[in-house]
């Protein structure tokens, strides 16, 4: 199938916001220098904001299957990308795998309705959810494992109405959530699937929780409510116990991903800005605010084993969110790596959702001219396609 590939040359001026580092006489120059150093350490190139040398990157849009839209959700170390593609209506979207220029759409458990991928491990096993039946006023979906493209129903807790899988490690341990009963208003709990068994992971004392990721050591992260009705709280499940991670003082914070060293990323609200999140990292239980691209809000969605985090951030004078990469508490706008032809065609990177250990990133790109949405694959390290 057709693959649109752009070779990006040159760097836009990196006037990007850095986290911390106050007290400089010229904060814009300081942010510029910090972003340049961060980018150089990621790409292996000694590049400054005024350096005329060319840094080439690889970028492609992920063409949809049976539709007009797509979205990249996760990527493994073989540079297999999973996400969704379809015709623009929720019921038309299906789990899709992109690899070396080809795209494959996976069937649902019931052979009807929609499917969505959330994660893929290095063996190519994909998890997410898919429709199992059409019910009054909607459909019922179950957590799903795709092996070789074939769906396996992972089941639900307590004959529940629905469940969803959000993470899988290389040992095949799967995490996510399940309702606790057949009613749509039933509580939902973080859930672990292992060798055909479902385990209710419990909560921090409230009625709701969800697991978002699991690393190869078996540590699980996500969010939970507490006995006090004060929003969601970042949570870590380890060895059968659950503990809360600190937040920035607001009523909502949650963990999105964890790497094999135990580095956790996610988001947290602050007291002065309850309407939006800030990107954060937890290292050894200690909270670190990652900063933004100049705007007020940001979320970190994934982190690789080198400690590079990706997500999105708002800008000071741009209503659109921009895909972001964080390195050493410096935020880098991934749109600064796009060439002029790509930008002139209307494309911008709205969010980065996954990053592998080789520096390949996936996420969602949007077109300001057509209103279209497509997944993308971007390298901030390699000069060519993996295996080519």
């Amino acid at each position: 199938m057709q693959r649109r590939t752009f070779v990006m040359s040159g760097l836009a001026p990196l006037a990007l916001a850095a986290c911390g580092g106050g007290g400089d006489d010229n904060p814009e120059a300081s942010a510029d220098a910090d972003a340049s150093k961060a980018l150089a350490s990621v790409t292996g190139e000694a590049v400054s904001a005024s350096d005329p040398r060319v840094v080439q990157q690889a970028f492609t849009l992920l063409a949809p299957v049976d539709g007009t839209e797509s979205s990249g959700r996760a990527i493994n170390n073989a540079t297999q990308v999973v996400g969704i593609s379809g015709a623009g209506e929720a019921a038309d979207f299906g789990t899709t795998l992109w690899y070396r220029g080809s795209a494959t759409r996976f069937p649902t458990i019931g052979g009807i309705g929609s499917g969505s991928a959330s994660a893929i491990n290095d063996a190519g096993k994909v998890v997410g959810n898919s429709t199992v039946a059409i019910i009054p006023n909607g459909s019922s979906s179950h957590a799903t494992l795709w092996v070789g493209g074939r769906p396996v129903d992972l089941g639900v807790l307590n004959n529940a109405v629905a469940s969803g899988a959000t993470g899988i490690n290389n040992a095949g341990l799967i995490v996510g959530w399940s309702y606790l009963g057949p009613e749509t208003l039933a509580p939902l709990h973080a859930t672990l699937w292992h060798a055909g068994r479902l385990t209710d992971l419990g909560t921090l004392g409230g009625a709701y929780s969800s697991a978002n990721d699991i690393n190869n050591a078996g540590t699980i992260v996500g969010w939970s409510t507490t006995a006090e009705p004060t929003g969601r709280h970042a949570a870590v499940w380890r060895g059968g116990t659950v503990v809360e991670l600190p937040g920035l003082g607001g009523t909502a914070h949650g963990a999105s991903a964890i790497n094999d060293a135990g580095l956790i990323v996610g988001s947290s609200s602050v007291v002065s800005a309850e309407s939006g999140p800030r990107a954060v990292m937890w290292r050894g239980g200690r909270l670190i605010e990652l900063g933004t691209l100049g705007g007020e809000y940001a979320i970190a969605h994934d982190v690789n084993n080198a400690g590079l985090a990706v997500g999105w951030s708002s800008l000071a004078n741009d209503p659109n969110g921009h895909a972001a990469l964080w390195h050493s508490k410096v935020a880098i706008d991934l749109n600064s790596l796009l060439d002029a032809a790509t930008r002139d065609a209307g494309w911008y990177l709205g969010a980065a959702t996954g990053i592998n250990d080789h520096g390949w990133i996936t996420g969602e790109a949007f077109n300001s001219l057509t209103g279209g949405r497509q997944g993308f694959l971007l390298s901030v390290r390699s000069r060519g396609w993996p295996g080519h």
Side-chain angles (χ1 to χ4, degrees):
M1 68 181 298
Q2 182 182 11
R3 181 180 72 183
R4 296 183 60 187
T5 302
F6 304 91
V7 176
M8 297 181 290
S9 59
L11 291 173
L14 296 173
L16 306 175
C19 176
D24 295 298
D25 294 334
N26 188 342
E28 288 189 3
S30 177
D32 209 34
D34 288 345
S36 298
K37 291 177 182 178
L39 187 62
S41 66
V42 172
T43 63
E45 299 283 346
V47 180
S48 69
S50 60
D51 198 323
R53 286 177 293 175
V54 171
V55 177
Q56 292 185 331
Q57 310 297 336
F59 170 73
T60 188
L61 294 170
L62 302 174
V65 179
D66 300 327
T68 58
E69 295 189 356
S70 65
S71 175
R73 299 288 177 83
I75 184 170
N76 67 8
N77 283 326
T79 322
Q80 294 174 302
V81 177
V82 291
I84 59 172
S85 70
E89 297 294 332
D92 296 326
F93 278 100
T95 296
T96 306
L97 169 73
W98 290 271
Y99 184 54
R100 292 190 176 180
S102 66
T104 305
R105 181 161 163 169
F106 295 161
T108 62
I109 294 170
I112 55 176
S114 63
S116 175
S118 300
I120 181 171
N121 70 7
D122 288 339
K125 294 181 179 180
V126 179
V127 296
N129 58 55
S130 69
T131 301
V132 294
I134 302 299
I135 61 176
N137 301 318
S139 61
S140 175
S141 295
H142 283 189
T144 306
L145 167 69
W146 285 271
V147 180
R150 299 181 61 182
V152 178
D153 189 341
L154 294 175
V156 295
L157 293 169
N158 305 328
N159 195 32
V161 65
S163 62
T166 55
I168 180 172
N169 68 9
N170 286 339
L173 299 178
I174 299 167
V175 296
W177 55 268
S178 175
Y179 284 100
L180 299 187
E183 302 84 13
T184 56
L185 296 179
L188 62 86
H189 278 192
T191 304
L192 170 69
W193 288 267
H194 175 51
R197 295 183 57 187
L198 283 75
T199 301
D200 184 342
L201 295 175
T203 73
L204 290 168
Y208 301 91
S209 65
S210 178
N212 290 330
D213 195 21
I214 180 170
N215 68 7
N216 287 322
T219 303
I220 300 165
V221 298
W223 62 266
S224 173
T225 57
T226 64
E228 297 294 329
T230 55
R232 299 179 176 184
H233 300 250
V236 178
W237 289 265
R238 184 187 295 110
T241 63
V242 55
V243 297
E244 181 179 350
L245 293 170
L248 293 173
T251 60
H253 56 289
S256 301
I258 181 172
N259 71 8
D260 289 339
L263 197 64
I264 301 168
V265 298
S267 63
S268 177
S269 63
V270 297
V271 174
S272 60
E274 290 292 354
S275 61
R278 305 286 176 85
V280 294
M281 176 180 288
W282 291 271
R283 185 190 300 272
R286 183 171 64 91
L287 179 66
I288 302 167
E289 187 172 353
L290 294 176
T292 74
L293 295 173
E296 189 173 357
Y297 307 128
I299 292 177
H301 288 303
D302 197 18
V303 60
N304 70 6
N305 284 326
L308 301 177
V310 295
W312 67 267
S313 172
S314 61
L315 278 68
N317 298 308
D318 190 337
N320 300 313
H322 279 212
L325 179 145
W326 287 272
H327 177 64
S328 299
K329 297 197 298 182
V330 178
I332 300 170
D333 188 344
L334 291 176
N335 287 277
S336 66
L337 299 177
L338 295 179
D339 68 5
T342 305
R343 293 194 299 269
D344 290 345
W347 290 104
Y348 68 94
L349 309 182
T353 52
I355 180 171
N356 71 12
D357 292 337
H358 307 299
W360 289 85
I361 298 169
T362 191
E364 286 187 333
F366 297 89
N367 194 293
S368 60
L369 302 179
T370 67
R373 173 182 64 149
Q374 285 190 227
F376 70 84
L377 178 62
L378 165 71
S379 170
V380 294
R381 185 185 298 270
S382 301
R383 291 184 179 273
W385 296 100
H388 289 223

